[in-house]
Coordinates of all heavy atoms in Angstrom, one line a residue:
M1 N 0.8 -1.2 0.0 CA -0.1 0.0 0.0 C 0.9 1.2 0.0 O 1.9 1.3 0.8 CB -0.9 0.0 1.3 CG -1.8 1.2 1.4 SD -3.2 1.1 2.6 CE -2.2 0.8 4.1
N2 N 0.5 2.2 -0.9 CA 1.3 3.4 -1.0 C 0.8 4.4 0.0 O -0.4 4.9 -0.3 CB 1.3 3.9 -2.4 CG 2.7 4.5 -2.8 OD1 3.5 4.5 -2.1 ND2 2.6 4.8 -4.1
Q3 N 1.3 4.9 0.9 CA 0.9 5.9 1.9 C 1.6 7.2 1.7 O 2.7 7.3 1.1 CB 1.2 5.4 3.4 CG 0.4 4.1 3.7 CD 0.7 3.8 5.2 OE1 1.7 3.7 5.5 NE2 -0.4 3.6 6.0
T4 N 0.8 8.2 2.0 CA 1.4 9.5 1.9 C 1.1 10.3 3.4 O 0.2 9.8 4.1 CB 0.8 10.5 0.9 OG1 -0.7 10.5 1.0 CG2 1.0 9.8 -0.5
A5 N 1.9 11.2 3.7 CA 1.9 11.8 4.9 C 0.8 13.0 4.9 O 0.8 13.7 3.9 CB 3.3 12.4 5.4
N6 N 0.0 13.1 6.0 CA -0.9 14.2 6.0 C -0.3 15.2 7.0 O -0.2 15.0 8.2 CB -2.2 13.7 6.7 CG -3.2 14.7 6.9 OD1 -2.9 16.1 6.8 ND2 -4.5 14.4 7.1
S7 N 0.3 16.2 6.5 CA 1.1 17.3 7.3 C 0.2 18.0 8.3 O 0.7 18.4 9.3 CB 1.8 18.2 6.3 OG 0.8 18.9 5.5
L8 N -1.0 17.9 7.9 CA -2.0 18.7 9.0 C -2.2 17.8 10.3 O -2.6 18.4 11.2 CB -3.4 18.8 8.3 CG -3.5 19.7 7.1 CD1 -4.9 19.9 6.5 CD2 -3.0 21.2 7.5
R9 N -1.8 16.6 10.2 CA -1.8 15.7 11.4 C -0.4 15.4 11.9 O -0.3 14.6 12.8 CB -2.4 14.4 11.0 CG -4.0 14.6 10.7 CD -4.8 13.4 10.3 NE -4.3 12.1 10.8 CZ -4.6 11.0 10.3 NH1 -5.4 10.9 9.2 NH2 -4.1 9.7 10.8
G10 N 0.6 16.1 11.4 CA 2.0 16.1 11.8 C 2.6 14.8 11.4 O 3.7 14.4 11.9
E11 N 2.0 14.1 10.4 CA 2.7 13.0 9.7 C 3.8 13.3 8.8 O 3.9 14.3 8.3 CB 1.7 12.2 9.0 CG 0.5 11.7 9.8 CD -0.6 11.0 9.1 OE1 -0.6 11.0 7.8 OE2 -1.4 10.4 9.6
A12 N 4.8 12.3 8.7 CA 5.9 12.5 7.9 C 6.3 11.2 7.3 O 5.8 10.2 7.8 CB 7.0 13.2 8.7
M13 N 7.3 11.3 6.5 CA 7.8 10.0 5.9 C 9.2 9.7 6.2 O 10.0 10.7 6.3 CB 7.7 10.0 4.3 CG 6.2 10.2 3.7 SD 5.0 9.0 4.3 CE 5.4 7.7 3.3
L14 N 9.6 8.5 6.4 CA 11.0 8.2 6.8 C 11.3 7.0 5.8 O 10.6 6.0 5.6 CB 11.1 7.7 8.2 CG 12.6 7.3 8.6 CD1 13.5 8.4 8.6 CD2 12.5 6.7 10.1
T15 N 12.5 7.1 5.1 CA 12.9 6.1 4.3 C 13.7 5.1 5.0 O 14.7 5.3 5.6 CB 13.8 6.8 3.2 OG1 13.2 7.8 2.4 CG2 14.3 5.6 2.1
I16 N 13.1 3.8 4.9 CA 13.6 2.6 5.6 C 13.8 1.6 4.6 O 12.9 1.2 3.9 CB 12.7 2.1 6.7 CG1 12.4 3.3 7.7 CG2 13.3 0.8 7.4 CD1 11.3 2.8 8.8
G17 N 15.1 1.3 4.4 CA 15.4 0.2 3.4 C 14.9 0.6 2.0 O 14.5 -0.2 1.2
G18 N 15.1 1.9 1.7 CA 14.8 2.4 0.4 C 13.3 2.6 0.0 O 12.8 2.8 -1.0
Q19 N 12.5 2.4 1.1 CA 11.0 2.6 1.0 C 10.5 3.6 2.0 O 11.0 3.7 3.1 CB 10.4 1.2 1.4 CG 10.8 0.0 0.5 CD 9.5 -0.7 0.0 OE1 8.4 -0.5 0.5 NE2 9.8 -1.5 -1.0
D20 N 9.7 4.5 1.5 CA 9.0 5.5 2.2 C 8.1 5.0 3.1 O 7.1 4.4 2.7 CB 8.6 6.7 1.5 CG 9.7 7.6 0.7 OD1 10.7 7.6 1.4 OD2 9.3 8.2 -0.2
K21 N 8.2 5.2 4.6 CA 7.4 4.6 5.5 C 6.7 5.8 6.3 O 7.4 6.8 6.7 CB 8.0 3.6 6.5 CG 8.5 2.4 5.7 CD 7.2 1.7 5.2 CE 7.5 0.6 4.1 NZ 6.4 0.2 3.6
L22 N 5.5 5.6 6.7 CA 4.7 6.7 7.4 C 5.1 6.8 8.9 O 5.1 5.8 9.6 CB 3.3 6.4 7.2 CG 2.3 7.5 7.8 CD1 2.5 8.8 7.1 CD2 0.8 7.0 7.7
L23 N 5.4 8.0 9.4 CA 5.5 8.3 10.8 C 4.2 9.1 11.2 O 3.9 10.1 10.6 CB 6.7 9.2 11.0 CG 8.1 8.6 10.8 CD1 9.2 9.5 10.9 CD2 8.3 7.2 11.5
R24 N 3.5 8.4 12.0 CA 2.1 8.9 12.4 C 2.1 9.3 14.0 O 2.1 8.3 14.8 CB 1.0 8.0 12.1 CG -0.4 8.6 12.5 CD -1.4 7.6 12.0 NE -1.5 7.8 10.5 CZ -2.0 6.9 9.6 NH1 -2.1 5.7 10.0 NH2 -2.1 7.2 8.4
P25 N 2.3 10.5 14.4 CA 2.3 10.7 15.8 C 1.0 10.7 16.5 O 0.5 11.8 16.8 CB 3.1 12.2 15.9 CG 2.6 12.8 14.6 CD 2.6 11.7 13.6
T26 N 0.4 9.6 16.7 CA -0.9 9.4 17.3 C -0.8 9.7 18.8 O 0.4 9.7 19.3 CB -1.5 8.0 17.2 OG1 -0.6 7.1 17.7 CG2 -1.7 7.8 15.7
F27 N -1.8 9.9 19.4 CA -1.8 10.1 20.8 C -1.1 8.9 21.7 O -0.2 9.1 22.5 CB -3.1 10.4 21.4 CG -3.2 10.8 22.9 CD1 -2.9 12.1 23.3 CD2 -3.6 9.9 23.9 CE1 -2.9 12.4 24.6 CE2 -3.7 10.2 25.2 CZ -3.3 11.5 25.5
S28 N -1.5 7.7 21.2 CA -0.8 6.5 21.9 C 0.6 6.4 21.6 O 1.4 6.0 22.3 CB -1.6 5.3 21.4 OG -1.5 5.0 20.0
A29 N 1.0 6.8 20.3 CA 2.4 6.8 20.0 C 3.3 7.8 20.8 O 4.3 7.4 21.3 CB 2.7 7.0 18.4
L30 N 2.6 8.9 21.0 CA 3.4 9.9 21.8 C 3.4 9.6 23.3 O 4.4 10.0 23.9 CB 2.7 11.3 21.6 CG 2.8 11.9 20.1 CD1 2.1 13.2 20.0 CD2 4.3 12.0 19.8
I31 N 2.4 9.0 23.7 CA 2.4 8.4 25.0 C 3.5 7.4 25.3 O 4.3 7.5 26.2 CB 1.0 7.9 25.5 CG1 0.1 9.0 25.6 CG2 1.1 7.1 26.9 CD1 -1.4 8.6 26.1
A32 N 3.7 6.5 24.4 CA 4.6 5.4 24.5 C 6.0 6.0 24.4 O 6.9 5.7 25.1 CB 4.5 4.5 23.3
A33 N 6.2 7.2 23.5 CA 7.5 7.8 23.3 C 7.7 8.5 24.8 O 8.9 8.5 25.3 CB 7.4 8.8 22.2
E34 N 6.8 9.1 25.3 CA 7.0 9.9 26.5 C 7.4 8.9 27.7 O 8.1 9.2 28.5 CB 5.8 10.7 26.8 CG 5.9 11.7 27.9 CD 4.8 12.6 28.1 OE1 3.5 12.2 28.4 OE2 5.0 13.9 28.2
D35 N 6.7 7.8 27.7 CA 7.0 6.7 28.7 C 8.4 6.3 28.6 O 9.0 6.1 29.7 CB 6.1 5.5 28.6 CG 4.6 5.7 28.9 OD1 4.4 6.7 29.7 OD2 3.8 4.9 28.7
E36 N 9.0 6.3 27.5 CA 10.5 5.9 27.4 C 11.3 7.1 27.5 O 12.4 6.9 28.1 CB 10.6 5.3 25.9 CG 12.1 4.9 25.7 CD 12.3 4.3 24.3 OE1 11.3 3.8 23.8 OE2 13.5 4.1 23.9
L37 N 11.0 8.4 27.0 CA 12.0 9.4 26.9 C 11.7 10.5 28.1 O 12.5 11.3 28.1 CB 11.8 10.0 25.5 CG 12.0 9.1 24.3 CD1 11.6 9.8 23.1 CD2 13.6 8.7 24.3
G38 N 10.7 10.4 28.7 CA 10.4 11.5 29.6 C 9.4 12.5 28.9 O 9.0 12.3 27.9
P39 N 9.2 13.6 29.6 CA 8.2 14.6 29.0 C 8.7 15.1 27.7 O 9.8 15.4 27.5 CB 8.5 15.7 30.2 CG 9.0 15.1 31.4 CD 9.8 14.0 30.9
L40 N 7.6 15.2 26.9 CA 7.9 15.5 25.5 C 8.2 16.9 25.3 O 9.0 17.3 24.4 CB 6.7 15.2 24.6 CG 6.4 13.7 24.4 CD1 5.1 13.4 23.5 CD2 7.5 12.9 23.8
L41 N 7.6 17.8 26.2 CA 8.1 19.2 26.1 C 9.5 19.4 26.4 O 10.1 20.3 25.7 CB 7.2 20.0 27.1 CG 7.4 21.6 27.0 CD1 7.1 22.0 25.5 CD2 6.4 22.3 27.9
A42 N 10.0 18.7 27.4 CA 11.4 18.8 27.6 C 12.2 18.3 26.4 O 13.4 18.8 26.0 CB 11.8 17.9 28.9
M43 N 11.8 17.2 25.7 CA 12.5 16.7 24.5 C 12.4 17.8 23.3 O 13.4 18.1 22.7 CB 11.8 15.5 24.1 CG 12.6 14.8 22.8 SD 11.8 13.4 22.1 CE 10.3 14.3 21.5
V44 N 11.3 18.5 23.2 CA 11.2 19.5 22.3 C 12.2 20.7 22.6 O 12.9 21.2 21.6 CB 9.7 20.1 22.2 CG1 9.6 21.4 21.4 CG2 8.7 19.0 21.7
E45 N 12.3 21.1 23.8 CA 13.3 22.1 24.2 C 14.7 21.6 24.0 O 15.4 22.5 23.4 CB 13.0 22.4 25.7 CG 11.8 23.1 26.0 CD 11.6 23.3 27.5 OE1 12.3 22.9 28.3 OE2 10.6 24.1 27.8
R46 N 15.0 20.4 24.2 CA 16.3 19.8 23.8 C 16.6 19.9 22.3 O 17.7 20.3 21.9 CB 16.5 18.4 24.4 CG 16.7 18.4 25.9 CD 17.1 17.0 26.3 NE 16.2 15.9 25.9 CZ 15.1 15.5 26.6 NH1 14.7 16.3 27.6 NH2 14.5 14.4 26.2
A47 N 15.6 19.5 21.6 CA 15.8 19.6 20.1 C 15.9 21.0 19.7 O 16.8 21.3 18.8 CB 14.6 18.9 19.6
A48 N 15.2 22.0 20.3 CA 15.3 23.4 19.9 C 16.8 24.0 20.2 O 17.2 24.8 19.4 CB 14.3 24.2 20.6
N49 N 17.4 23.4 21.2 CA 18.7 23.9 21.7 C 19.8 22.9 21.1 O 21.0 23.1 21.5 CB 18.7 23.8 23.2 CG 17.9 24.8 23.8 OD1 17.8 25.9 23.2 ND2 17.2 24.5 25.0
G50 N 19.4 22.1 20.1 CA 20.4 21.3 19.5 C 21.1 20.2 20.4 O 22.1 19.7 20.2
Q51 N 20.3 19.8 21.4 CA 20.7 18.8 22.4 C 20.1 17.6 22.4 O 20.0 16.8 23.1 CB 20.5 19.4 23.7 CG 21.2 20.7 24.1 CD 22.7 20.6 23.9 OE1 23.3 19.5 24.5 NE2 23.5 21.3 23.2
L52 N 19.2 17.3 21.2 CA 18.4 16.0 21.1 C 19.5 14.9 20.8 O 20.4 15.0 20.0 CB 17.4 16.2 20.0 CG 16.4 14.9 19.9 CD1 15.6 14.9 21.1 CD2 15.7 15.0 18.6
K53 N 19.3 13.8 21.4 CA 20.2 12.7 21.3 C 19.8 11.8 20.2 O 18.6 11.7 19.9 CB 20.4 11.9 22.6 CG 21.0 12.7 23.7 CD 21.1 11.9 25.0 CE 21.7 12.7 26.1 NZ 21.8 11.9 27.4
L54 N 20.7 11.1 19.6 CA 20.4 10.2 18.5 C 19.4 9.1 19.0 O 18.4 8.8 18.3 CB 21.7 9.6 17.9 CG 21.6 8.8 16.7 CD1 21.0 9.6 15.5 CD2 23.0 8.3 16.2
G55 N 19.6 8.6 20.2 CA 18.7 7.6 20.8 C 17.3 8.1 21.0 O 16.4 7.3 20.8
E56 N 17.1 9.3 21.2 CA 15.8 10.0 21.5 C 15.1 10.1 20.1 O 14.0 9.8 20.0 CB 16.0 11.4 22.1 CG 16.4 11.4 23.6 CD 16.7 12.7 24.1 OE1 17.4 13.5 23.6 OE2 16.1 12.9 25.2
L57 N 16.0 10.5 19.1 CA 15.4 10.7 17.7 C 14.9 9.2 17.3 O 13.7 9.1 16.7 CB 16.5 11.3 16.8 CG 16.1 11.2 15.4 CD1 15.0 12.2 15.1 CD2 17.3 11.6 14.5
S58 N 15.7 8.3 17.5 CA 15.3 6.8 17.0 C 14.0 6.4 17.8 O 13.1 5.8 17.2 CB 16.4 6.0 17.0 OG 16.9 5.7 18.2
A59 N 14.1 6.6 19.1 CA 13.0 6.2 19.8 C 11.7 6.9 19.4 O 10.6 6.2 19.4 CB 13.2 6.4 21.4
L60 N 11.7 8.3 19.2 CA 10.5 9.0 18.8 C 10.0 8.4 17.4 O 8.8 8.2 17.2 CB 10.9 10.5 18.6 CG 9.7 11.3 18.2 CD1 8.5 11.4 19.3 CD2 10.2 12.8 18.1
F61 N 10.9 8.3 16.4 CA 10.6 7.8 15.1 C 9.9 6.4 15.3 O 9.0 6.1 14.5 CB 11.7 7.8 14.1 CG 12.1 9.0 13.6 CD1 11.4 10.2 13.9 CD2 13.1 9.2 12.7 CE1 11.8 11.5 13.4 CE2 13.5 10.4 12.1 CZ 12.8 11.5 12.5
W62 N 10.6 5.5 16.1 CA 10.1 4.1 16.2 C 8.7 4.1 16.8 O 7.9 3.5 16.2 CB 11.0 3.3 17.1 CG 10.3 2.1 17.7 CD1 10.0 1.8 18.8 CD2 10.0 1.0 16.9 NE1 9.4 0.6 18.9 CE2 9.4 0.0 17.8 CE3 10.1 0.6 15.6 CZ2 8.9 -1.2 17.1 CZ3 9.7 -0.6 15.0 CH2 9.0 -1.5 15.9
H63 N 8.3 4.9 17.7 CA 7.1 5.0 18.4 C 6.0 5.5 17.4 O 4.8 5.1 17.4 CB 7.1 5.7 19.6 CG 7.7 4.9 20.8 ND1 7.2 3.8 21.3 CD2 8.8 5.3 21.4 CE1 8.1 3.4 22.3 NE2 8.9 4.1 22.4
C64 N 6.4 6.3 16.6 CA 5.5 7.0 15.6 C 5.4 6.2 14.3 O 4.6 6.5 13.3 CB 5.9 8.3 15.2 SG 5.7 9.5 16.7
L65 N 6.3 5.2 14.1 CA 6.2 4.4 12.9 C 4.9 3.6 12.8 O 4.6 2.9 13.7 CB 7.4 3.3 12.8 CG 7.5 2.4 11.6 CD1 7.7 3.3 10.4 CD2 8.6 1.5 11.8
D66 N 4.2 3.8 11.6 CA 2.9 3.2 11.4 C 3.0 1.7 11.2 O 2.0 1.0 11.2 CB 2.3 4.0 10.3 CG 0.7 3.6 10.1 OD1 0.1 3.7 11.2 OD2 0.3 3.3 9.0
D67 N 4.2 1.2 10.7 CA 4.4 -0.2 10.4 C 5.4 -0.9 11.3 O 6.3 -1.4 10.8 CB 4.8 -0.2 8.9 CG 4.6 -1.5 8.2 OD1 4.2 -2.5 8.9 OD2 5.2 -1.7 7.1
Q68 N 5.1 -0.9 12.6 CA 6.0 -1.5 13.5 C 6.0 -3.1 13.2 O 7.0 -3.8 13.7 CB 5.6 -1.2 14.9 CG 6.0 0.3 15.2 CD 5.8 0.5 16.7 OE1 4.9 -0.2 17.3 NE2 6.3 1.6 17.2
E69 N 5.0 -3.6 12.6 CA 4.9 -5.1 12.4 C 6.0 -5.6 11.5 O 6.4 -6.7 11.5 CB 3.5 -5.5 12.1 CG 2.4 -5.2 13.1 CD 2.1 -3.8 13.1 OE1 2.0 -3.2 12.0 OE2 1.6 -3.4 14.2
T70 N 6.2 -4.7 10.4 CA 7.2 -5.0 9.5 C 8.7 -4.6 9.8 O 9.6 -5.4 9.4 CB 6.7 -4.4 8.1 OG1 5.4 -4.7 7.9 CG2 7.6 -4.8 7.0
Y71 N 8.8 -3.6 10.4 CA 10.1 -3.0 10.6 C 10.5 -3.0 12.2 O 9.6 -2.6 13.0 CB 10.2 -1.5 10.1 CG 10.1 -1.5 8.7 CD1 8.9 -1.3 8.0 CD2 11.2 -1.9 7.7 CE1 8.8 -1.3 6.6 CE2 11.1 -1.9 6.4 CZ 10.0 -1.6 5.8 OH 9.7 -1.7 4.4
S72 N 11.7 -3.4 12.4 CA 12.1 -3.3 13.8 C 12.8 -2.0 14.2 O 13.0 -1.2 13.3 CB 13.2 -4.4 14.0 OG 14.5 -4.1 13.3
R73 N 13.0 -1.9 15.4 CA 13.6 -0.6 15.9 C 15.0 -0.5 15.3 O 15.3 0.6 15.0 CB 13.7 -0.5 17.5 CG 14.0 0.7 18.0 CD 13.5 0.7 19.5 NE 14.0 2.0 20.0 CZ 13.5 2.4 21.1 NH1 12.5 1.8 21.7 NH2 14.0 3.6 21.6
N74 N 15.6 -1.5 15.3 CA 16.9 -1.6 14.6 C 16.8 -1.1 13.1 O 17.8 -0.4 12.7 CB 17.6 -3.0 14.6 CG 19.1 -3.0 14.3 OD1 19.8 -2.1 14.8 ND2 19.4 -3.9 13.3
D75 N 15.8 -1.5 12.5 CA 15.6 -1.0 11.0 C 15.6 0.6 11.0 O 16.1 1.3 10.1 CB 14.4 -1.5 10.3 CG 14.5 -3.1 10.2 OD1 15.6 -3.6 9.9 OD2 13.5 -3.7 10.3
V76 N 14.8 1.1 12.0 CA 14.7 2.6 12.1 C 16.0 3.2 12.3 O 16.3 4.3 11.8 CB 13.6 3.0 13.2 CG1 13.5 4.5 13.5 CG2 12.2 2.5 12.8
E77 N 16.7 2.6 13.2 CA 18.2 3.1 13.6 C 19.0 3.1 12.4 O 19.7 4.1 12.1 CB 18.7 2.4 14.8 CG 17.9 2.6 16.1 CD 18.2 1.6 17.1 OE1 19.0 0.6 16.8 OE2 17.7 1.7 18.2
N78 N 19.0 2.1 11.7 CA 19.9 1.9 10.5 C 19.4 3.0 9.4 O 20.2 3.4 8.7 CB 19.8 0.5 9.9 CG 20.5 -0.4 10.8 OD1 21.5 -0.1 11.5 ND2 20.2 -1.7 10.7
A79 N 18.1 3.2 9.3 CA 17.6 4.2 8.4 C 18.0 5.6 8.7 O 18.4 6.3 7.8 CB 16.0 4.2 8.4
I80 N 18.0 5.9 9.9 CA 18.5 7.2 10.3 C 20.0 7.3 9.9 O 20.5 8.4 9.3 CB 18.4 7.4 11.8 CG1 16.9 7.5 12.1 CG2 19.2 8.7 12.3 CD1 16.6 7.5 13.5
I81 N 20.8 6.4 10.2 CA 22.2 6.5 9.9 C 22.4 6.5 8.4 O 23.1 7.3 7.7 CB 23.0 5.1 10.3 CG1 23.0 5.2 12.0 CG2 24.3 5.1 9.8 CD1 23.5 6.5 12.5
A82 N 21.5 5.7 7.5 CA 21.7 5.6 6.1 C 21.3 7.0 5.5 O 22.0 7.3 4.5 CB 20.8 4.4 5.5
I83 N 20.2 7.6 6.0 CA 19.8 8.8 5.3 C 20.5 10.0 5.9 O 20.6 11.1 5.2 CB 18.3 9.1 5.2 CG1 17.7 9.1 6.7 CG2 17.5 7.9 4.5 CD1 16.2 9.6 6.7
G84 N 21.0 9.9 7.1 CA 21.8 11.1 7.7 C 20.8 12.0 8.5 O 19.6 12.0 8.1
L85 N 21.4 12.7 9.4 CA 20.5 13.5 10.2 C 20.0 14.8 9.5 O 18.9 15.3 9.9 CB 21.5 14.2 11.4 CG 21.9 13.1 12.4 CD1 22.9 13.8 13.4 CD2 20.7 12.5 13.0
T86 N 20.6 15.2 8.5 CA 20.0 16.3 7.7 C 18.6 16.0 7.0 O 17.7 16.7 7.2 CB 20.9 16.8 6.6 OG1 22.1 17.2 7.2 CG2 20.3 17.9 5.7
R87 N 18.5 14.7 6.6 CA 17.3 14.2 5.9 C 16.3 13.8 7.0 O 15.1 13.7 6.7 CB 17.4 13.2 5.0 CG 18.2 13.7 3.7 CD 18.1 12.8 2.6 NE 17.0 11.9 2.3 CZ 17.0 10.8 1.7 NH1 18.0 10.3 1.5 NH2 15.8 10.2 1.6
C88 N 16.8 13.7 8.3 CA 15.8 13.5 9.4 C 15.1 14.6 10.0 O 14.2 14.6 10.7 CB 16.6 12.7 10.5 SG 17.1 11.0 10.1
A89 N 15.8 15.8 9.5 CA 15.2 17.0 10.2 C 13.8 17.2 9.7 O 13.0 17.7 10.7 CB 16.1 18.1 9.6
D90 N 13.3 17.1 8.6 CA 12.0 17.4 8.2 C 11.0 16.4 9.0 O 10.0 17.0 9.5 CB 11.9 17.2 6.7 CG 12.5 18.4 5.9 OD1 12.7 19.4 6.5 OD2 12.7 18.2 4.8
P91 N 11.2 15.1 9.0 CA 10.2 14.4 9.7 C 10.2 14.7 11.2 O 9.1 14.8 11.8 CB 10.6 12.8 9.6 CG 11.8 12.9 8.8 CD 12.1 14.3 8.3
L92 N 11.3 15.0 11.7 CA 11.5 15.4 13.2 C 10.8 16.8 13.4 O 9.9 16.8 14.3 CB 12.9 15.6 13.6 CG 13.3 16.0 15.0 CD1 12.5 15.1 16.0 CD2 14.7 16.3 15.3
R93 N 11.0 17.7 12.6 CA 10.2 18.9 12.7 C 8.8 18.7 12.6 O 8.0 19.4 13.4 CB 10.7 19.9 11.5 CG 10.4 21.3 11.7 CD 11.0 22.2 10.6 NE 12.5 22.1 10.6 CZ 13.3 21.7 9.6 NH1 12.6 21.2 8.5 NH2 14.4 21.6 9.8
A94 N 8.3 18.0 11.7 CA 6.8 17.7 11.6 C 6.1 17.2 12.8 O 5.1 17.6 13.3 CB 6.6 16.8 10.3
I95 N 7.0 16.2 13.4 CA 6.4 15.6 14.7 C 6.5 16.5 15.8 O 5.6 16.4 16.7 CB 7.2 14.1 15.0 CG1 6.9 13.1 13.9 CG2 6.8 13.7 16.4 CD1 7.7 12.0 13.9
L96 N 7.6 17.2 15.9 CA 7.7 18.2 17.0 C 6.7 19.3 16.9 O 6.0 19.7 18.0 CB 9.0 18.8 17.0 CG 10.3 17.8 17.4 CD1 11.7 18.6 17.5 CD2 10.0 17.1 18.7
A97 N 6.3 19.8 15.7 CA 5.2 20.7 15.5 C 3.9 20.1 16.0 O 3.2 20.8 16.6 CB 5.3 21.1 14.2
Q98 N 3.8 18.9 15.6 CA 2.5 18.3 16.1 C 2.4 18.2 17.6 O 1.2 18.4 18.1 CB 2.3 16.9 15.5 CG 1.2 16.0 15.9 CD 0.0 16.6 15.4 OE1 -0.1 17.5 14.4 NE2 -1.2 16.3 16.0
I99 N 3.5 17.9 18.3 CA 3.4 17.9 19.6 C 3.1 19.2 20.2 O 2.3 19.3 21.3 CB 4.8 17.4 20.3 CG1 5.0 15.9 19.9 CG2 5.0 17.7 21.7 CD1 6.6 15.4 20.2
L100 N 3.6 20.2 19.6 CA 3.4 21.6 20.3 C 2.1 22.2 19.7 O 1.4 22.9 20.6 CB 4.6 22.6 19.7 CG 5.8 22.3 20.3 CD1 6.9 23.1 19.6 CD2 5.9 22.6 21.8
K101 N 1.7 22.0 18.5 CA 0.5 22.7 18.0 C -0.8 21.8 18.2 O -1.9 22.4 18.2 CB 0.7 23.1 16.5 CG 1.7 24.2 16.4 CD 1.8 24.7 15.0 CE 1.9 23.7 13.9 NZ 2.1 24.1 12.7
G102 N -0.6 20.4 17.8 CA -1.8 19.6 17.6 C -2.4 20.0 16.3 O -1.9 20.5 15.5
T103 N -3.7 19.5 16.1 CA -4.4 19.8 15.0 C -5.4 20.9 15.2 O -5.9 21.0 16.2 CB -5.1 18.5 14.4 OG1 -6.0 18.0 15.6 CG2 -4.1 17.4 14.0
Q104 N -5.7 21.6 14.3 CA -6.5 22.8 14.4 C -7.9 22.5 13.8 O -7.9 21.9 12.7 CB -5.9 24.0 13.6 CG -4.5 24.4 14.2 CD -4.5 24.9 15.7 OE1 -5.4 25.5 16.1 NE2 -3.5 24.6 16.4

């Protein structure tokens, strides 16, 4: 199935193994990320200050990955390394904006 990201819902795409996969920051995904990483607002502040750790980035992407049944957390980590941090900036920005703004 070919999915596209709905930017109004804070969704973004992440290339994993050469395939674009949907990152969907649902309420339950963000709760799971917060359970692992601590308060999301603090994470947003760290990101704004250039202090977001690679492990935090991979955890956030993993929890928001719409296809966790097919791809492992290790796949997400390898994808981040493969595409580089510069190309991770757009999906990260979309998810962080969703955390801060929500949907209107």
Side-chain angles (χ1 to χ4, degrees):
M1 178 169 55
N2 221 359
Q3 294 180 309
T4 59
N6 180 343
S7 62
L8 297 176
R9 291 176 30 197
E11 296 175 350
M13 302 304 285
L14 178 68
T15 303
I16 302 175
Q19 304 226 344
D20 287 337
K21 294 298 169 186
L22 184 64
L23 299 177
R24 179 176 283 152
T26 62
F27 189 73
S28 60
L30 295 177
I31 287 174
E34 189 170 56
D35 284 346
E36 179 177 342
L37 301 169
L40 293 181
L41 186 55
M43 185 186 65
V44 171
E45 289 175 355
R46 286 192 302 278
N49 292 321
Q51 300 298 310
L52 189 68
K53 295 178 181 178
L54 191 56
E56 292 174 310
L57 175 66
S58 65
L60 181 62
F61 283 3
W62 164 249
H63 287 293
C64 292
L65 182 63
D66 194 47
D67 194 5
Q68 288 181 340
E69 298 80 29
T70 303
Y71 295 96
S72 70
R73 190 159 177 162
N74 191 54
D75 292 330
V76 172
E77 294 165 354
N78 288 334
I80 291 169
I81 296 304
I83 67 172
L85 291 177
T86 300
R87 288 189 47 208
C88 289
D90 286 339
L92 176 62
R93 193 175 299 117
I95 293 170
L96 295 180
Q98 177 66 18
I99 291 169
L100 292 173
K101 296 188 308 183
T103 55
Q104 302 294 325

